[in-house]
Amino acid sequence: MKEEKENEQQINVELSEEMAEGVYSNLAMIAHSNSEFILDFIRLMPGVPRAKVKARIIVTPEHAKRLIAALKDNINKYEDQYGPIQSSQDNEPNFNFPISFGGPGGEA
């Protein structure tokens, strides 16, 4: 056990004030190639026919798999604390955005 702790690497992560503010997104589009996953985070405003990509994150397939595992873990912890998250798709089974972003298709 002591050996494991000695082998662990500690990473110091810097977070600037600007980055700490974050970017609001209420829609994600996901596309992939054989070597990467592309996650576009979009802000869609009611009544506005155009939406803008606010952030694009490109990750390897291995990292995408770790990301989904971390999201699942955090969602489970959230729901344990606050109760089940209600999805808009529960109430609207045909929930669909007729939007084109000029790139490869994806869904979230």
Side-chain angles (χ1 to χ4, degrees):
M1 192 71 169
K2 186 178 176 184
E3 245 179 72
E4 281 181 31
K5 287 190 177 191
E6 288 176 7
N7 290 335
E8 285 181 17
Q9 285 188 353
Q10 208 169 19
I11 300 172
N12 292 321
V13 178
E14 253 184 67
L15 183 63
S16 69
E17 276 188 52
E18 181 183 2
M19 190 62 66
E21 289 179 17
V23 174
Y24 178 75
S25 169
N26 55 5
L27 176 66
M29 303 282 291
I30 303 169
H32 66 277
S33 69
N34 65 334
S35 61
E36 60 197 16
F37 279 77
I38 302 162
L39 296 85
D40 285 333
F41 293 93
I42 300 151
R43 184 179 309 151
L44 185 65
M45 301 300 289
V48 178
R50 239 180 119 142
K52 286 189 176 182
V53 173
K54 293 297 185 176
R56 173 172 274 191
I57 308 296
I58 302 168
V59 298
T60 64
E62 180 186 4
H63 186 75
K65 208 164 193 181
R66 287 194 310 263
L67 176 62
I68 196 72
L71 279 170
K72 284 180 181 180
D73 180 56
N74 276 270
I75 288 170
N76 288 335
K77 289 175 183 174
Y78 177 95
E79 290 183 326
D80 286 347
Q81 186 172 356
Y82 301 106
I85 297 169
Q86 297 298 316
S87 171
S88 61
Q89 290 180 347
D90 293 343
N91 300 325
E92 302 174 32
N94 295 323
F95 187 69
N96 194 4
F97 286 103
I99 307 172
S100 172
F101 291 95
E107 61 182 67

